């Protein structure tokens, strides 16, 4: 026996060093893979919310209004992008900590992950699941403060932006709205671009771009639903319905 | 009973039954690991002895973590590599190549296809080698040492450094390229 082996065996005896039990390593591995799956799911959800936010963004309204260009940044879902990057980093580090994760080539992981994320997020968005989840999130205090910011950013009559609830409808071109700060407005429209007849209904929340006429009235050039867009389905159905009507008329 | 024909995996299993069998594993790997540590770090013998002891104690503690689908040598080299890096970081020291015959060959192997003028003394070669290594990226240097000094296969290096085989190929190619570039800067002309 060499001097080194003697010293090591002696140290093992003196310090009463024992083998770490097998179950510790088994559990560690299980936990690492669980975190990996969890981080993947969360990253997919973040990507879905990014897609959701991009589709439901206020960018189109900003273009029709006179808000400063800086406001366009509001349309970028920074929080979800940041969280998505964080979860991607977590799952990459986590994978490398597993016993076998290092064997996967980085491009293979990246391509598989991106494909999985895109397919899942498009499916979640198209099925309306992401919209339902985001509606649930709105009831959370932190998320509520984020949506409050959106509400505030949309109530800028001086800059041609307004958002709130329709409280009275006189006609298609003339209705009343209570904005998110509680002020009531008479809305008159000349050019109306919107996505559906059913939008101008008492109780509906809408966002408008246009021009402030005086202290209490607003001229609208663009009107859109306020809220979270639910998948592709709803709009496809609307378009289909319009097509049928058009054919009937023709 | 002679343990010469017993595989590492069997010795691991026997160690669970009797601690004395661990001495055989130590004897098998003590010298190769010390050499590896010397090549990787250039540390003094007492530092290497300290690291080796820590390595074997860690191996003993984590023996249940070892899985037979991996070569035992790759697993123990991985632990040694990590311990050496931790030691150097703790001591805020940089690795240094020591003057050995292997180190001279290393120099020739890495830049062999460049027909480098090799008209300088071996001690000068080691000096230049150290200067090059100091400027080299750590990850390239580690891969080159395992490939050309330890003569490990790509799969083994992949298991030791916990990086995919493809990445190891890239590290070695880029490492050689970087090595040659720095060597050229130091006046070694092809």
């Amino acid at each position: 026996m060499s001097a080194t082996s003697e010293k090591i065996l002696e140290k093992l005896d003196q310090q009463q060093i024992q083998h770490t039990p097998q179950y510790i390593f088994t559990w560690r591995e299980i936990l690492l893979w669980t975190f990996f799956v969890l981080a993947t799911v969360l990253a997919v959800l973040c990507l879905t919310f990014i897609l959701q936010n991009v589709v439901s963004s206020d960018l189109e309204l900003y273009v029709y209004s006179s808000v400063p260009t800086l406001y366009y940044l509001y349309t970028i879902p920074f929080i979800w992008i940041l969280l998505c990057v964080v979860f991607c980093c977590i799952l990459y580090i986590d994978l490398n900590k597993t016993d076998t994760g290092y064997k996967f080539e980085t491009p293979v992981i990246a391509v598989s992950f991106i494909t999985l994320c895109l397919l899942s997020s498009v499916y979640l968005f198209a099925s309306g699941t992401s919209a339902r989840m985001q509606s649930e999130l709105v009831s959370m205090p932190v998320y509520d403060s984020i949506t409050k910011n959106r509400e505030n950013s949309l109530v800028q009559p001086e800059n041609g932006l307004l958002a709130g609830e329709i409280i009275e409808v006189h006609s298609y071109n003339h209705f009343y709205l209570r904005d998110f700060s509680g002020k009531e407005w008479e809305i008159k429209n000349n050019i109306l671009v919107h996505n559906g007849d059913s939008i101008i209904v008492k109780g509906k929340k809408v966002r408008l771009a246009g021009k402030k006429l005086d202290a209490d009235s607003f001229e609208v050039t663009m009107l859109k639903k306020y809220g979270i867009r639910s998948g592709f389905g709803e709009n496809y159905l609307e378009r289909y319905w319009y097509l049928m009507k058009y054919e009937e008329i023709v | 009973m002679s343990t010469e024909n017993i595989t590492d995996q069997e010795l691991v299993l026997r160690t669970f039954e009797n601690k004395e069998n661990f001495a055989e594993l130590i004897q098998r790997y003590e010298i190769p690991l010390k050499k590896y540590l010397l090549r990787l770090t250039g540390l003094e013998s007492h530092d290497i002895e300290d690291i080796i002891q820590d390595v074997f104690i860690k191996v003993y503690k984590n023996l249940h973590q070892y899985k037979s689908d991996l070569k035992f040598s790759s697993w123990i080299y991985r632990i040694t590599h990590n311990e050496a890096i931790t030691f150097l970081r703790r001591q805020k020291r940089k690795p240094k190549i020591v003057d050995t015959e292997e180190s001279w060959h290393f120099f020739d192997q890495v830049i062999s296809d460049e027909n480098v003028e090799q008209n300088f003394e071996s001690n000068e070669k080691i000096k230049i080698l150290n200067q090059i290594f100091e400027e080299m990226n750590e990850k390239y240097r580690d891969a080159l040492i395992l490939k050309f000094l330890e003569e490990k296969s790509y799969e083994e290096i992949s298991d030791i450094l916990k990086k995919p085989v493809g990445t190891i190929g890239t590290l070695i190619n880029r490492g050689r390229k970087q090595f040659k570039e720095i060597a050229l800067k130091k006046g070694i002309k092809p």
Side-chain angles (χ1 to χ4, degrees):
Chain A
M1 201 183 283
S2 72
T4 310
S5 7
E6 269 181 40
K7 263 190 220 167
I8 292 165
L9 289 182
E10 216 178 279
K11 214 170 177 177
L12 290 174
D13 280 332
Q14 274 174 358
Q15 297 180 5
Q16 294 184 316
I17 295 168
Q18 298 295 325
H19 302 296
T20 306
Q22 171 91 60
Y23 72 86
I24 302 270
F25 299 112
T26 312
W27 273 108
R28 182 183 174 270
E29 199 65 4
I30 291 171
L31 278 176
L32 283 171
W33 282 109
T34 310
F35 276 128
F36 175 76
V37 173
L38 208 68
T40 309
V41 171
L42 290 171
V44 165
L45 283 180
C46 287
L47 201 71
T48 309
F49 290 145
I50 292 170
L51 184 66
Q52 180 80 61
N53 278 283
V54 167
V55 175
S56 322
S57 87
D58 301 316
L59 189 66
E60 226 178 328
L61 281 177
Y62 287 166
V63 174
Y64 276 81
S65 71
S66 53
V67 289
T69 321
L70 192 70
Y71 269 87
Y72 287 37
L73 289 175
Y74 270 109
T75 59
I76 303 169
F78 289 111
I79 291 176
W80 295 120
I81 292 171
L82 183 76
L83 283 174
C84 190
V85 171
V86 168
F87 289 128
C88 287
C89 291
I90 289 175
L91 72 90
Y92 187 72
I93 294 166
D94 189 84
L95 186 69
N96 282 321
K97 291 233 177 270
T98 61
D99 280 347
T100 48
Y102 70 92
K103 288 180 190 283
F104 300 106
E105 299 286 345
T106 311
V108 176
I109 300 172
V111 169
S112 320
F113 179 72
I114 292 167
T115 312
L116 172 81
C117 276
L118 285 177
L119 289 177
S120 314
S121 52
V122 167
Y123 170 75
L124 288 172
F125 173 73
S127 65
T129 314
S130 63
R132 281 194 293 278
M133 283 192 288
Q134 211 159 8
S135 307
E136 292 292 322
L137 282 175
V138 173
S139 58
M140 286 167 69
V142 179
Y143 200 78
D144 192 39
S145 67
I146 299 167
T147 50
K148 278 272 188 298
N149 283 336
R150 188 192 176 198
E151 287 177 3
N152 294 338
S153 75
L154 283 172
V155 181
Q156 295 183 68
E158 307 298 333
N159 285 326
L161 274 180
L162 207 57
E165 189 183 325
I166 296 172
I167 48 171
E168 202 180 313
V169 180
H170 283 198
S171 75
Y172 207 28
N173 298 326
H174 185 210
F175 56 93
Y176 288 84
L177 177 128
R178 185 183 294 117
D179 72 21
F180 289 125
S181 66
K183 185 177 164 35
E184 288 181 15
W185 293 87
E186 183 186 2
I187 309 292
K188 300 162 182 175
N189 69 295
N190 47 8
I191 313 153
L192 196 61
V193 183
H194 63 91
N195 58 355
D197 287 334
S198 55
I199 204 164
I200 302 169
V201 174
K202 191 181 169 184
K204 279 246 171 178
K205 283 182 180 175
V206 288
R207 350 170 231 167
L208 331 160
K211 200 169 76 185
K212 186 182 170 187
L213 296 173
D214 54 51
D216 301 313
S217 59
F218 194 87
E219 186 186 69
V220 58
T221 47
M222 188 192 205
L223 184 144
K224 287 180 84 105
K225 267 191 260 183
Y226 180 85
I228 303 154
R229 187 173 150 178
S230 177
F232 300 115
E234 188 185 336
N235 294 300
Y236 282 148
L237 283 174
E238 272 177 15
R239 274 179 207 154
Y240 180 68
W241 185 72
Y242 283 123
L243 197 69
M244 290 289 285
K245 265 177 73 171
Y246 177 71
E247 278 172 358
E248 275 170 30
I249 295 161
V250 172
Chain B
M1 198 179 94
S2 167
T3 49
E4 275 173 24
N5 298 326
I6 299 174
T7 62
D8 290 344
Q9 274 90 344
E10 262 178 87
L11 269 177
V12 169
L13 292 174
R14 287 187 185 194
T15 304
F16 290 130
E17 291 157 14
N18 185 358
K19 197 186 287 177
E20 299 302 314
N21 287 310
F22 192 56
E24 175 60 27
L25 274 175
I26 299 173
Q27 263 172 310
R28 277 187 193 183
Y29 284 98
E30 185 189 341
I31 305 295
L33 290 182
K34 276 183 178 170
K35 276 189 183 173
Y36 174 55
L37 280 171
L38 190 67
R39 286 161 185 165
L40 186 71
T41 63
L43 288 166
E44 305 288 325
S45 60
H46 62 270
D47 285 332
I48 287 181
E49 190 64 38
D50 286 347
I51 299 174
I52 277 291
Q53 285 193 26
D54 289 345
V55 166
F56 282 111
I57 286 174
K58 205 166 186 179
V59 166
Y60 184 81
K61 268 189 187 170
N62 298 322
L63 217 50
H64 276 300
Q65 195 181 21
Y66 168 67
K67 288 193 178 79
S68 53
D69 54 353
L70 188 75
K71 274 176 95 172
F72 184 79
S73 65
S74 298
W75 187 64
I76 203 166
Y77 264 78
R78 183 194 292 171
I79 293 174
T80 310
H81 180 89
N82 292 341
E83 284 294 308
I85 301 299
T86 312
F87 183 89
L88 288 173
R89 278 190 191 146
R90 220 172 22 221
Q91 306 264 321
K92 290 178 182 159
R93 283 156 76 167
K94 284 199 163 186
K96 213 176 93 188
I97 297 296
V98 284
D99 193 351
T100 61
E101 204 179 327
E102 289 95 339
S103 305
W104 310 339
H105 291 314
F106 173 85
F107 198 93
D108 301 333
Q109 278 175 305
V110 175
I111 47 177
S112 57
D113 58 334
E114 292 284 328
N115 303 318
V116 172
E117 281 176 24
Q118 288 166 31
N119 54 357
F120 41 81
E121 296 294 317
S122 58
N123 59 347
E124 197 186 346
K125 210 185 262 185
I126 298 299
K127 205 174 141 194
I128 295 169
L129 194 56
N130 267 316
Q131 286 172 353
I132 295 172
F133 267 14
E134 228 168 76
E135 283 182 38
M136 267 188 91
N137 190 315
E138 209 173 273
K139 60 185 179 185
Y140 297 151
R141 194 201 61 223
D142 293 349
L144 288 184
I145 288 175
L146 284 164
K147 176 74 189 138
F148 297 107
L149 285 178
E150 297 301 320
E151 294 174 341
K152 298 281 181 194
S153 68
Y154 277 34
E155 284 75 19
E156 283 173 309
I157 302 172
S158 154
D159 291 331
I160 294 166
L161 299 179
K162 278 193 97 178
K163 282 185 166 58
V165 178
T167 308
I168 297 301
T170 311
L171 286 179
I172 290 170
N173 286 334
R174 286 186 188 164
R176 284 180 78 154
K177 204 176 154 212
Q178 194 180 54
F179 188 96
K180 286 172 202 167
E181 278 168 7
I182 301 170
L184 281 171
K185 265 196 255 167
K186 301 262 173 224
I188 305 164
K189 289 171 193 161

